[in-house]
Coordinates of all heavy atoms in Angstrom, one line a residue:
M1 N -15.4 7.7 4.1 CA -15.0 6.4 3.6 C -15.8 5.3 4.3 O -16.0 5.4 5.5 CB -13.5 6.2 3.9 CG -12.9 5.1 3.1 SD -11.1 5.0 3.4 CE -10.5 6.1 2.0
D2 N -16.2 4.3 3.6 CA -17.1 3.3 4.1 C -16.3 2.4 5.2 O -15.3 1.7 4.8 CB -17.6 2.4 3.0 CG -18.6 1.4 3.5 OD1 -18.6 1.0 4.8 OD2 -19.4 0.9 2.8
G3 N -16.6 2.5 6.5 CA -15.8 1.9 7.4 C -16.1 0.3 7.5 O -15.4 -0.3 8.4
S4 N -16.9 -0.1 6.7 CA -17.2 -1.6 6.8 C -16.5 -2.3 5.7 O -16.6 -3.5 5.5 CB -18.7 -1.9 6.6 OG -19.2 -1.5 5.3
K5 N -15.7 -1.6 4.8 CA -15.1 -2.2 3.7 C -13.6 -1.7 3.5 O -13.3 -0.6 3.9 CB -15.8 -1.9 2.4 CG -17.2 -2.5 2.4 CD -17.9 -2.2 1.1 CE -19.3 -2.8 1.1 NZ -20.3 -2.1 0.4
I6 N -12.8 -2.5 2.9 CA -11.5 -2.1 2.3 C -11.5 -2.6 0.9 O -11.7 -3.7 0.6 CB -10.4 -2.8 3.1 CG1 -10.3 -2.2 4.6 CG2 -9.0 -2.5 2.4 CD1 -9.2 -2.8 5.4
N7 N -11.2 -1.7 0.0 CA -11.2 -1.9 -1.4 C -12.5 -2.6 -1.9 O -12.4 -3.6 -2.6 CB -10.0 -2.8 -1.8 CG -8.7 -2.0 -1.6 OD1 -8.7 -0.8 -1.6 ND2 -7.6 -2.7 -1.3
E8 N -13.6 -2.1 -1.4 CA -14.9 -2.6 -1.8 C -15.3 -4.0 -1.2 O -16.3 -4.5 -1.4 CB -15.1 -2.7 -3.3 CG -14.8 -1.4 -4.1 CD -15.8 -0.3 -3.6 OE1 -17.0 -0.6 -3.4 OE2 -15.3 0.8 -3.4
K9 N -14.3 -4.5 -0.4 CA -14.7 -5.8 0.2 C -15.0 -5.6 1.7 O -14.4 -4.9 2.4 CB -13.4 -6.8 0.1 CG -13.1 -7.2 -1.3 CD -12.2 -8.4 -1.3 CE -11.6 -8.7 -2.6 NZ -10.2 -8.6 -2.7
P10 N -16.0 -6.3 2.2 CA -16.4 -6.3 3.6 C -15.2 -6.7 4.4 O -14.6 -7.7 4.1 CB -17.6 -7.3 3.7 CG -18.1 -7.5 2.3 CD -16.9 -7.3 1.4
V11 N -15.0 -6.0 5.5 CA -13.8 -6.3 6.3 C -14.2 -7.5 7.3 O -15.3 -7.7 7.6 CB -13.4 -5.1 7.2 CG1 -12.9 -4.0 6.3 CG2 -14.5 -4.6 8.1
N12 N -13.1 -8.2 7.7 CA -13.3 -9.1 8.8 C -12.2 -9.0 9.8 O -11.2 -8.3 9.5 CB -13.4 -10.6 8.3 CG -12.1 -11.0 7.5 OD1 -11.0 -10.9 8.0 ND2 -12.3 -11.5 6.3
E13 N -12.3 -9.6 10.9 CA -11.4 -9.3 12.0 C -9.9 -9.7 11.6 O -9.0 -8.9 11.9 CB -11.8 -10.0 13.3 CG -10.8 -9.8 14.4 CD -11.4 -10.0 15.7 OE1 -12.6 -9.6 16.0 OE2 -10.6 -10.5 16.6
S14 N -9.8 -10.9 11.1 CA -8.4 -11.3 10.8 C -7.7 -10.4 9.8 O -6.5 -10.1 9.9 CB -8.3 -12.8 10.4 OG -9.2 -13.0 9.3
M15 N -8.5 -10.0 8.8 CA -7.9 -9.0 7.8 C -7.4 -7.8 8.4 O -6.4 -7.3 8.2 CB -9.1 -8.8 6.8 CG -8.8 -7.7 5.8 SD -10.2 -6.9 5.2 CE -10.9 -8.2 4.1
L16 N -8.3 -7.2 9.3 CA -7.9 -6.0 10.0 C -6.7 -6.1 10.9 O -5.8 -5.3 10.9 CB -9.1 -5.5 10.7 CG -10.3 -4.9 9.9 CD1 -11.5 -4.7 10.7 CD2 -9.9 -3.7 9.1
L17 N -6.7 -7.2 11.7 CA -5.6 -7.3 12.6 C -4.3 -7.6 11.9 O -3.2 -7.1 12.2 CB -5.9 -8.5 13.6 CG -7.1 -8.3 14.5 CD1 -7.3 -9.5 15.5 CD2 -7.0 -7.0 15.3
E18 N -4.4 -8.3 10.8 CA -3.2 -8.6 9.9 C -2.6 -7.3 9.4 O -1.5 -7.1 9.2 CB -3.7 -9.4 8.8 CG -2.7 -10.4 8.3 CD -3.4 -11.4 7.3 OE1 -3.5 -11.1 6.2 OE2 -3.8 -12.5 7.8
Q19 N -3.6 -6.3 9.1 CA -3.1 -5.0 8.5 C -2.8 -4.0 9.5 O -2.5 -2.9 9.2 CB -4.2 -4.5 7.6 CG -4.4 -5.3 6.4 CD -5.3 -4.7 5.3 OE1 -5.5 -3.5 5.3 NE2 -6.0 -5.5 4.5
G20 N -2.7 -4.4 10.8 CA -2.2 -3.6 11.8 C -3.2 -2.7 12.6 O -2.9 -1.8 13.4
Y21 N -4.5 -3.0 12.3 CA -5.6 -2.3 13.1 C -5.6 -2.9 14.5 O -5.4 -4.1 14.7 CB -6.9 -2.6 12.4 CG -7.1 -1.7 11.2 CD1 -6.6 -2.1 9.9 CD2 -7.8 -0.6 11.2 CE1 -6.7 -1.4 8.8 CE2 -8.1 0.2 10.0 CZ -7.5 -0.2 8.8 OH -7.7 0.6 7.7
R22 N -5.9 -2.0 15.5 CA -6.1 -2.5 16.8 C -7.7 -2.4 17.1 O -8.4 -1.6 16.6 CB -5.5 -1.4 17.8 CG -4.9 -2.1 18.9 CD -4.2 -1.2 19.8 NE -4.8 -1.5 21.2 CZ -4.5 -0.9 22.3 NH1 -3.7 0.1 22.3 NH2 -5.1 -1.3 23.4
K23 N -8.1 -3.4 17.9 CA -9.5 -3.6 18.1 C -10.0 -2.9 19.4 O -9.3 -3.0 20.4 CB -9.8 -5.1 18.2 CG -11.2 -5.5 18.5 CD -11.3 -7.0 18.5 CE -12.7 -7.4 18.8 NZ -12.8 -8.9 18.9
Y24 N -11.1 -2.2 19.3 CA -11.7 -1.6 20.5 C -13.2 -2.1 20.5 O -14.0 -1.7 19.8 CB -11.7 0.0 20.4 CG -10.3 0.5 20.3 CD1 -9.6 0.5 19.2 CD2 -9.7 1.0 21.5 CE1 -8.3 1.0 19.1 CE2 -8.4 1.5 21.5 CZ -7.7 1.5 20.3 OH -6.4 1.9 20.2
S25 N -13.3 -3.1 21.5 CA -14.6 -3.8 21.5 C -15.8 -3.1 22.1 O -15.6 -2.4 23.1 CB -14.4 -5.1 22.3 OG -13.6 -6.0 21.7
G26 N -16.9 -3.2 21.5 CA -18.2 -2.7 22.1 C -19.1 -3.9 22.2 O -18.9 -5.0 21.6
E27 N -20.3 -3.6 22.7 CA -21.3 -4.7 22.9 C -21.8 -5.1 21.5 O -21.9 -6.3 21.2 CB -22.4 -4.2 23.8 CG -23.2 -5.4 24.3 CD -24.4 -5.0 25.1 OE1 -24.4 -3.8 25.6 OE2 -25.3 -5.8 25.3
N28 N -22.2 -4.2 20.7 CA -22.9 -4.4 19.4 C -22.1 -4.1 18.3 O -22.5 -4.3 17.1 CB -24.2 -3.7 19.4 CG -25.2 -4.3 20.4 OD1 -25.4 -5.5 20.6 ND2 -25.8 -3.4 21.2
L29 N -20.9 -3.5 18.5 CA -20.0 -3.1 17.3 C -18.6 -3.0 17.8 O -18.3 -2.5 18.9 CB -20.6 -1.7 16.9 CG -19.7 -1.0 15.8 CD1 -20.5 -0.7 14.6 CD2 -19.1 0.3 16.4
D30 N -17.7 -3.5 17.1 CA -16.2 -3.4 17.4 C -15.7 -2.3 16.5 O -16.0 -2.3 15.3 CB -15.5 -4.7 17.2 CG -15.9 -5.7 18.2 OD1 -16.3 -5.4 19.3 OD2 -15.7 -6.9 17.9
I31 N -14.9 -1.4 17.0 CA -14.2 -0.4 16.2 C -12.7 -0.8 16.0 O -12.1 -1.3 17.0 CB -14.3 0.9 16.9 CG1 -15.7 1.4 17.0 CG2 -13.4 2.0 16.1 CD1 -16.0 2.7 17.7
Y32 N -12.2 -0.6 14.9 CA -10.8 -0.9 14.6 C -10.0 0.3 14.2 O -10.7 1.1 13.4 CB -10.7 -2.0 13.5 CG -11.3 -3.3 13.9 CD1 -12.6 -3.5 13.9 CD2 -10.5 -4.3 14.4 CE1 -13.2 -4.8 14.3 CE2 -11.0 -5.6 14.8 CZ -12.3 -5.7 14.7 OH -12.9 -6.9 15.1
Y33 N -8.8 0.5 14.6 CA -8.1 1.7 14.3 C -6.7 1.4 13.9 O -6.0 0.6 14.6 CB -8.1 2.6 15.6 CG -7.2 3.8 15.5 CD1 -7.4 4.9 14.7 CD2 -6.0 3.8 16.3 CE1 -6.5 5.9 14.6 CE2 -5.1 4.9 16.2 CZ -5.4 5.9 15.4 OH -4.5 7.0 15.3
S34 N -6.2 2.0 12.9 CA -4.8 1.9 12.5 C -4.1 3.3 12.6 O -4.4 4.2 12.0 CB -4.7 1.5 11.0 OG -3.3 1.7 10.6
K35 N -3.2 3.3 13.6 CA -2.4 4.5 13.8 C -1.5 4.8 12.6 O -1.1 6.0 12.4 CB -1.6 4.5 15.1 CG -0.5 3.6 15.2 CD 0.3 3.9 16.5 CE 1.4 3.0 16.9 NZ 2.0 2.1 15.9
D36 N -1.1 3.8 11.9 CA -0.2 4.0 10.7 C -0.9 4.7 9.6 O -0.3 5.4 8.8 CB 0.4 2.7 10.2 CG 1.2 2.0 11.3 OD1 1.8 2.8 12.1 OD2 1.3 0.8 11.3
I37 N -2.3 4.5 9.5 CA -3.0 5.1 8.4 C -3.6 6.4 8.8 O -3.8 7.3 8.0 CB -4.2 4.1 8.0 CG1 -3.5 2.8 7.4 CG2 -5.1 4.7 7.0 CD1 -4.5 1.7 7.1
C38 N -3.8 6.6 10.1 CA -4.4 7.9 10.6 C -3.7 9.1 10.1 O -2.5 9.1 10.2 CB -4.5 7.8 12.1 SG -5.2 9.3 12.8
A39 N -4.5 10.0 9.6 CA -3.9 11.3 9.1 C -4.1 12.4 10.1 O -3.7 13.6 9.7 CB -4.5 11.6 7.8
H40 N -4.6 12.1 11.2 CA -4.7 13.1 12.3 C -5.5 14.4 11.9 O -5.1 15.5 12.2 CB -3.3 13.5 12.9 CG -2.6 12.3 13.3 ND1 -2.9 11.6 14.5 CD2 -1.5 11.6 12.8 CE1 -2.1 10.6 14.6 NE2 -1.2 10.5 13.6
I41 N -6.6 14.0 11.2 CA -7.4 15.1 10.7 C -8.5 15.5 11.7 O -8.9 16.7 11.8 CB -8.0 14.7 9.3 CG1 -6.9 14.7 8.3 CG2 -9.1 15.7 8.9 CD1 -7.2 13.8 7.1
G42 N -8.8 14.6 12.6 CA -9.6 14.9 13.8 C -11.2 14.8 13.6 O -11.9 15.2 14.5
N43 N -11.6 14.3 12.4 CA -13.1 14.2 12.2 C -13.7 13.3 13.3 O -14.8 13.5 13.7 CB -13.4 13.5 10.9 CG -13.1 14.5 9.7 OD1 -12.5 15.6 9.9 ND2 -13.5 14.1 8.5
C44 N -12.9 12.3 13.7 CA -13.5 11.4 14.8 C -13.7 12.1 16.1 O -14.8 12.0 16.6 CB -12.6 10.2 14.9 SG -10.8 10.7 15.2
V45 N -12.8 12.8 16.5 CA -12.8 13.5 17.8 C -13.9 14.6 17.7 O -14.7 14.8 18.7 CB -11.5 14.1 18.2 CG1 -11.5 14.9 19.5 CG2 -10.4 13.0 18.2
R46 N -13.9 15.4 16.6 CA -14.9 16.4 16.5 C -16.3 15.8 16.3 O -17.3 16.4 16.7 CB -14.6 17.3 15.3 CG -13.6 18.4 15.5 CD -13.6 19.4 14.5 NE -13.2 18.8 13.1 CZ -12.0 18.5 12.8 NH1 -10.9 18.9 13.6 NH2 -11.7 18.0 11.7
G47 N -16.3 14.6 15.7 CA -17.6 13.9 15.4 C -18.3 13.5 16.6 O -19.5 13.6 16.8
N48 N -17.5 12.9 17.6 CA -18.2 12.5 18.9 C -17.0 12.2 19.9 O -16.4 11.2 19.9 CB -19.0 11.2 18.7 CG -19.8 10.9 19.9 OD1 -19.4 11.1 21.0 ND2 -21.1 10.5 19.7
A49 N -16.9 13.2 20.7 CA -15.8 13.2 21.7 C -16.1 12.2 22.9 O -15.2 11.9 23.7 CB -15.5 14.6 22.3
D50 N -17.3 11.7 23.0 CA -17.6 10.7 24.0 C -16.9 9.3 23.5 O -16.4 8.6 24.3 CB -19.1 10.5 24.2 CG -19.7 11.7 24.8 OD1 -19.0 12.4 25.6 OD2 -20.9 12.0 24.6
V51 N -17.0 9.1 22.2 CA -16.5 7.9 21.7 C -15.0 7.9 21.4 O -14.2 7.0 21.7 CB -17.3 7.5 20.4 CG1 -16.7 6.2 19.8 CG2 -18.8 7.4 20.6
F52 N -14.6 9.0 20.8 CA -13.2 9.2 20.4 C -12.6 10.4 21.2 O -13.0 11.5 21.0 CB -13.1 9.6 19.0 CG -13.7 8.5 18.0 CD1 -15.0 8.6 17.7 CD2 -12.9 7.4 17.6 CE1 -15.5 7.6 16.8 CE2 -13.4 6.4 16.8 CZ -14.7 6.5 16.4
E53 N -11.7 10.0 22.1 CA -11.1 11.2 22.9 C -9.5 10.9 23.0 O -9.1 10.0 23.7 CB -11.7 11.3 24.3 CG -11.2 12.5 25.0 CD -11.7 12.6 26.4 OE1 -12.9 12.2 26.7 OE2 -11.0 13.1 27.3
V54 N -8.8 11.7 22.3 CA -7.3 11.6 22.4 C -6.9 11.9 23.8 O -7.3 12.8 24.5 CB -6.7 12.6 21.4 CG1 -5.2 12.6 21.4 CG2 -7.2 12.4 20.0
G55 N -6.0 11.1 24.3 CA -5.5 11.3 25.6 C -6.1 10.4 26.7 O -5.5 10.2 27.7
R56 N -7.3 9.9 26.4 CA -8.0 8.9 27.3 C -7.5 7.5 27.0 O -7.0 7.2 25.9 CB -9.5 9.1 27.1 CG -10.3 8.1 27.9 CD -11.8 8.2 27.6 NE -12.0 7.8 26.2 CZ -13.2 8.0 25.6 NH1 -14.2 8.6 26.2 NH2 -13.3 7.5 24.4
R57 N -7.5 6.6 27.9 CA -7.2 5.3 27.7 C -8.4 4.3 28.1 O -8.7 4.4 29.2 CB -5.9 4.8 28.4 CG -4.7 5.4 27.8 CD -3.5 4.8 28.4 NE -2.3 5.3 27.6 CZ -1.7 4.6 26.7 NH1 -2.2 3.4 26.4 NH2 -0.8 5.0 26.0
P58 N -8.9 3.6 27.2 CA -8.6 3.6 25.8 C -9.2 4.8 25.1 O -10.2 5.4 25.6 CB -9.3 2.3 25.3 CG -10.5 2.2 26.2 CD -10.0 2.7 27.6
W59 N -8.6 5.2 24.1 CA -9.1 6.5 23.4 C -10.3 6.3 22.6 O -11.1 7.3 22.4 CB -8.0 7.1 22.6 CG -7.8 6.7 21.2 CD1 -7.1 5.5 20.8 CD2 -8.3 7.3 20.0 NE1 -7.1 5.5 19.4 CE2 -7.8 6.6 18.9 CE3 -9.0 8.4 19.7 CZ2 -8.1 6.9 17.6 CZ3 -9.3 8.8 18.4 CH2 -8.9 8.0 17.4
I60 N -10.6 5.0 22.3 CA -12.0 4.8 21.7 C -12.8 3.9 22.6 O -12.3 2.9 23.1 CB -11.7 4.0 20.3 CG1 -10.9 4.9 19.3 CG2 -13.1 3.6 19.7 CD1 -10.5 4.1 18.1
I61 N -14.0 4.3 22.9 CA -15.0 3.6 23.7 C -16.2 3.4 22.8 O -17.1 4.3 22.8 CB -15.3 4.1 25.1 CG1 -14.0 4.3 25.8 CG2 -16.3 3.3 25.8 CD1 -14.1 4.9 27.2
A62 N -16.4 2.3 22.2 CA -17.5 2.1 21.2 C -18.8 2.3 21.9 O -19.7 2.9 21.3 CB -17.3 0.7 20.6
D63 N -18.9 1.8 23.1 CA -20.3 1.8 23.7 C -20.7 3.2 24.3 O -21.8 3.4 24.8 CB -20.3 0.8 24.9 CG -20.3 -0.6 24.4 OD1 -20.6 -0.8 23.2 OD2 -20.0 -1.5 25.2
N64 N -19.8 4.1 24.1 CA -20.3 5.5 24.5 C -21.1 6.2 23.4 O -21.6 7.3 23.6 CB -19.0 6.4 24.7 CG -18.4 6.2 26.1 OD1 -19.0 5.4 26.9 ND2 -17.4 6.9 26.4
G65 N -21.3 5.5 22.3 CA -22.2 5.9 21.2 C -23.1 4.8 20.8 O -22.8 3.6 21.0
S66 N -24.2 5.1 20.1 CA -25.1 4.0 19.6 C -24.3 3.4 18.4 O -23.4 4.0 17.8 CB -26.4 4.6 19.2 OG -26.2 5.5 18.1
V67 N -24.7 2.3 17.9 CA -24.2 1.7 16.7 C -24.3 2.6 15.6 O -23.2 2.9 14.8 CB -24.9 0.3 16.4 CG1 -24.4 -0.2 15.1 CG2 -24.5 -0.7 17.5
E68 N -25.4 3.2 15.3 CA -25.6 4.1 14.2 C -24.7 5.4 14.3 O -24.1 5.8 13.4 CB -27.1 4.6 14.1 CG -27.9 3.6 13.3 CD -28.2 2.3 14.1 OE1 -28.1 2.3 15.3 OE2 -28.3 1.3 13.4
E69 N -24.6 5.9 15.5 CA -23.7 7.1 15.8 C -22.3 6.7 15.5 O -21.5 7.5 14.9 CB -24.0 7.6 17.2 CG -22.9 8.7 17.6 CD -23.1 10.0 16.8 OE1 -23.9 10.1 15.9 OE2 -22.2 10.8 17.0
D70 N -21.8 5.6 16.0 CA -20.4 5.2 15.8 C -20.2 5.1 14.3 O -19.1 5.5 13.9 CB -20.1 3.8 16.5 CG -20.1 3.9 18.0 OD1 -20.1 5.0 18.5 OD2 -19.9 2.9 18.6
I71 N -21.1 4.4 13.6 CA -20.9 4.2 12.2 C -20.8 5.6 11.5 O -20.0 5.8 10.6 CB -21.9 3.3 11.6 CG1 -21.8 1.9 12.1 CG2 -21.9 3.4 10.0 CD1 -22.9 0.9 11.8
R72 N -21.7 6.5 11.8 CA -21.7 7.8 11.2 C -20.3 8.5 11.3 O -19.8 9.0 10.3 CB -22.8 8.7 11.9 CG -22.8 10.1 11.3 CD -23.7 11.0 12.1 NE -23.2 11.4 13.4 CZ -22.3 12.3 13.6 NH1 -21.8 13.0 12.5 NH2 -21.8 12.6 14.8
V73 N -19.8 8.4 12.5 CA -18.5 9.1 12.7 C -17.3 8.3 12.0 O -16.5 8.9 11.4 CB -18.2 9.2 14.3 CG1 -16.8 9.9 14.4 CG2 -19.2 10.0 14.9
I74 N -17.4 7.0 12.1 CA -16.3 6.2 11.5 C -16.3 6.5 9.9 O -15.3 6.6 9.4 CB -16.5 4.7 11.8 CG1 -16.3 4.4 13.2 CG2 -15.6 3.8 10.9 CD1 -16.8 3.1 13.7
D75 N -17.5 6.5 9.4 CA -17.6 6.8 7.9 C -17.1 8.2 7.6 O -16.8 8.5 6.4 CB -19.0 6.6 7.4 CG -19.3 5.1 7.4 OD1 -18.5 4.2 7.4 OD2 -20.5 4.8 7.2
S76 N -17.0 9.1 8.5 CA -16.4 10.4 8.2 C -15.0 10.4 8.2 O -14.3 11.5 7.9 CB -17.0 11.4 9.2 OG -16.3 11.4 10.5
C77 N -14.3 9.4 8.6 CA -12.8 9.4 8.7 C -12.3 9.3 7.2 O -12.7 8.3 6.4 CB -12.3 8.1 9.4 SG -10.6 7.8 9.3
P78 N -11.6 10.2 6.8 CA -11.2 10.3 5.3 C -10.0 9.4 5.0 O -9.8 9.1 3.8 CB -10.7 11.8 5.1 CG -10.3 12.2 6.5 CD -11.0 11.4 7.5
S79 N -9.3 8.9 5.9 CA -8.1 8.1 5.6 C -8.3 6.6 5.5 O -7.4 5.9 5.0 CB -7.0 8.4 6.7 OG -7.4 7.8 7.9
G80 N -9.4 6.1 6.1 CA -9.5 4.6 6.2 C -8.9 4.1 7.5 O -8.8 2.9 7.7
A81 N -8.5 4.9 8.4 CA -7.9 4.4 9.7 C -8.9 3.9 10.6 O -8.5 3.1 11.5 CB -7.1 5.6 10.3
L82 N -10.2 4.2 10.4 CA -11.2 3.6 11.2 C -12.1 2.6 10.5 O -12.5 2.9 9.4 CB -12.1 4.7 11.8 CG -11.5 5.7 12.8 CD1 -12.4 6.8 13.2 CD2 -11.0 5.0 14.1
K83 N -12.3 1.5 11.1 CA -13.2 0.5 10.5 C -14.1 -0.1 11.5 O -13.8 0.1 12.8 CB -12.4 -0.7 9.9 CG -11.5 -0.3 8.7 CD -12.2 0.1 7.5 CE -11.3 0.8 6.5 NZ -12.0 1.3 5.4
Y84 N -15.2 -0.8 11.2 CA -16.0 -1.3 12.2 C -16.6 -2.7 11.7 O -16.7 -3.0 10.5 CB -17.1 -0.4 12.5 CG -18.2 -0.2 11.4 CD1 -19.3 -1.1 11.2 CD2 -18.1 0.9 10.5 CE1 -20.1 -0.9 10.2 CE2 -19.0 1.1 9.5 CZ -20.0 0.2 9.3 OH -20.9 0.3 8.3
I85 N -16.9 -3.5 12.7 CA -17.7 -4.7 12.5 C -18.9 -4.7 13.4 O -18.7 -4.7 14.6 CB -16.8 -6.0 12.6 CG1 -15.6 -6.0 11.6 CG2 -17.6 -7.3 12.6 CD1 -14.6 -7.1 11.8
R86 N -20.1 -4.8 12.8 CA -21.3 -4.9 13.6 C -21.4 -6.3 14.2 O -21.0 -7.3 13.6 CB -22.5 -4.7 12.8 CG -22.6 -3.3 12.3 CD -24.0 -3.1 11.5 NE -25.1 -2.8 12.5 CZ -26.0 -1.8 12.3 NH1 -25.9 -1.0 11.2 NH2 -26.9 -1.6 13.2
K87 N -21.9 -6.4 15.4 CA -22.1 -7.7 16.1 C -23.6 -7.9 16.3 O -23.9 -8.8 17.0 CB -21.3 -7.7 17.3 CG -19.8 -7.6 17.1 CD -19.2 -7.0 18.3 CE -18.8 -8.0 19.4 NZ -18.1 -7.3 20.5
D88 N -24.5 -7.0 15.8 CA -25.9 -7.1 16.2 C -26.7 -7.7 15.0 O -27.9 -7.7 15.0 CB -26.4 -5.7 16.5 CG -26.2 -4.7 15.4 OD1 -25.7 -5.0 14.3 OD2 -26.6 -3.6 15.6
G89 N -26.0 -8.3 14.0 CA -26.6 -9.1 13.0 C -27.3 -8.2 12.0 O -28.1 -8.7 11.1
K90 N -27.1 -6.8 12.0 CA -27.8 -6.0 11.0 C -26.8 -5.6 9.9 O -25.7 -5.8 10.0 CB -28.2 -4.7 11.7 CG -29.4 -5.0 12.7 CD -29.9 -3.7 13.2 CE -30.9 -4.0 14.3 NZ -31.1 -2.9 15.2
Ligands
SF4_1 S1 -10.9 10.9 11.5 FE1 -9.6 9.2 10.9 S2 -7.7 10.1 10.1 FE2 -8.8 11.6 11.2 S3 -7.9 11.6 13.3 FE3 -9.7 10.2 13.3 S4 -8.9 8.2 12.8 FE4 -7.3 9.7 12.2

């Protein structure tokens, strides 16, 4: 699922926070996660355990992966529980 969009529309921060997503800031990319939407399928953790590690606090550390790597894993989330906003102008 495209982590930069909801219903074909580009996401923005206020939309995501309003919908109950929590923000995990990185230098060049912020990751947003909704525990209500998460289906616990684990693609994120299997995709990159440095960025997504259940049991760690915070469990998401965006800067442990490159922007491209974070996006690759976020887009593998089938439920839409993970979204991202790039901050590097790309
Ligand atoms: S891939 Fe998405 S649905 Fe699966 S555990 Fe991670 S956040 Fe939840």
Side-chain angles (χ1 to χ4, degrees):
M1 197 174 270
D2 187 338
S4 68
K5 294 183 181 148
I6 292 178
N7 296 331
E8 303 303 314
K9 291 197 190 118
V11 295
N12 60 53
E13 177 159 323
S14 55
M15 172 205 286
L16 290 169
L17 297 180
E18 215 166 84
Q19 293 190 22
Y21 284 80
R22 220 184 126 178
K23 178 179 180 182
Y24 297 83
S25 293
E27 196 184 341
N28 293 313
L29 173 125
D30 292 334
I31 297 177
Y32 295 81
Y33 167 72
S34 166
K35 70 171 172 18
D36 296 333
I37 296 173
C38 178
H40 305 288
I41 291 158
N43 288 7
C44 50
V45 180
R46 277 194 302 277
N48 191 320
D50 294 330
V51 179
F52 301 92
E53 189 183 326
V54 178
R56 181 182 64 192
R57 283 189 175 263
W59 84 277
I60 298 173
I61 300 179
D63 288 345
N64 280 1
S66 66
V67 169
E68 275 70 27
E69 170 65 4
D70 287 355
I71 291 173
R72 180 189 72 77
V73 179
I74 290 165
D75 285 347
S76 79
C77 171
S79 69
L82 292 174
K83 299 290 171 189
Y84 67 85
I85 294 177
R86 289 184 86 132
K87 298 152 83 178
D88 56 3
K90 289 185 188 158

